[in-house]
Amino acid sequence: MNGNQTTNTLEQHASRREYTVQLFEEMNKEPGTVSHAAGGLIATTALEDGVDKVVNLIKDPQVWRVEACLSDRSTAIRIADTVVTVPETIATAVRIHYEDDDGIRTLPLLGTDTSRAHRYETAVAQFLLTFTETANGASLDKGELADNLGRWHRNLTGDSISPVWIGRTLQALDVETTELAVYDRRWIYGELME
């Protein structure tokens, strides 16, 4: 990355952080709608075609946050199951809400009800299963894996998972690694974030 790219990246990050609090307040959580943020603008539309609409918004390179609100939990779960497998969630934050008797609830996209170590093991195993495959003789750069996995986890949960925890978790899952590489694995989709 050159100096201009670094400056632009930092400015984009600062812009996103500035709108984070505003987003939680302004993004519509009306059942049957999906809100998205692109730049500093927030738009809300009807969620007529469910999964396809949410996935298309996630894949839009201008969109950096998507919040869908469904009328029931089962539909929210169906959409969530698809969302966690979309590679663009590495760059796009996603929240799924649903209507319940008590109001609007947020559906956890990754497990939250166990110990931190178990949650991380589950998330890392899911990431490896979804975005990588076994390939004898191939290897993944461990830093690249940790970066992509960390951003995916943060965009789906709002919480960070550090490279240290990723390393520990890979070890707990018996994934063969060195300080620099994860052996016998490759990206299913080629380079995840080209």
Side-chain angles (χ1 to χ4, degrees):
M1 230 190 279
N2 64 33
N4 288 338
Q5 288 173 316
T6 302
T7 301
N8 290 340
T9 301
L10 291 174
E11 287 173 1
Q12 288 173 345
H13 180 69
S15 172
R16 288 181 183 184
R17 287 184 58 90
E18 182 180 320
Y19 288 104
T20 300
V21 172
Q22 179 184 348
L23 284 173
F24 283 111
E25 296 169 358
E26 290 186 16
M27 290 189 105
N28 191 339
K29 292 177 183 67
E30 184 72 29
T33 64
V34 60
S35 296
H36 67 278
L41 301 175
I42 299 167
T44 301
T45 57
L47 190 55
E48 296 165 0
D49 50 359
V51 173
D52 291 340
K53 176 75 169 189
V54 174
V55 169
N56 288 336
L57 284 170
I58 292 169
K59 289 182 174 183
D60 183 334
Q62 301 301 313
V63 173
W64 57 272
R65 187 175 182 100
V66 175
E67 292 202 21
C69 188
L70 294 305
S71 57
D72 62 273
R73 189 170 192 267
S74 62
T75 305
I77 290 170
R78 186 173 49 82
I79 290 177
D81 286 345
T82 300
V83 162
V84 297
T85 67
V86 176
E88 286 80 4
T89 53
I90 291 170
T92 306
V94 182
R95 299 294 179 273
I96 305 291
H97 311 284
Y98 64 95
E99 186 174 33
D100 195 11
D101 294 336
D102 299 339
I104 303 297
R105 296 189 183 273
T106 300
L107 181 71
L109 295 174
L110 298 174
T112 59
D113 58 351
T114 57
S115 71
R116 177 170 55 174
H118 186 262
R119 286 194 316 267
Y120 288 170
E121 282 182 24
T122 303
V124 170
Q126 183 173 355
F127 184 86
L128 290 174
L129 183 64
T130 304
F131 300 113
T132 72
E133 62 187 356
T134 303
N136 290 334
S139 66
L140 289 174
D141 180 273
K142 193 173 179 183
E144 181 183 4
L145 175 76
D147 181 54
N148 285 322
L149 195 155
R151 289 188 290 149
W152 175 80
H153 189 273
R154 185 175 54 252
N155 281 334
L156 295 178
T157 67
D159 297 323
S160 295
I161 177 172
S162 73
V164 171
W165 269 103
I166 291 171
R168 287 179 189 167
T169 303
L170 289 169
Q171 191 173 36
L173 293 170
D174 292 326
V175 175
E176 188 179 349
T177 66
T178 65
E179 199 171 301
L180 301 175
V182 178
Y183 289 118
D184 297 329
R185 297 209 74 79
R186 67 177 173 211
W187 298 115
I188 290 175
Y189 303 103
E191 293 298 317
L192 267 189
M193 300 301 293
E194 293 183 12

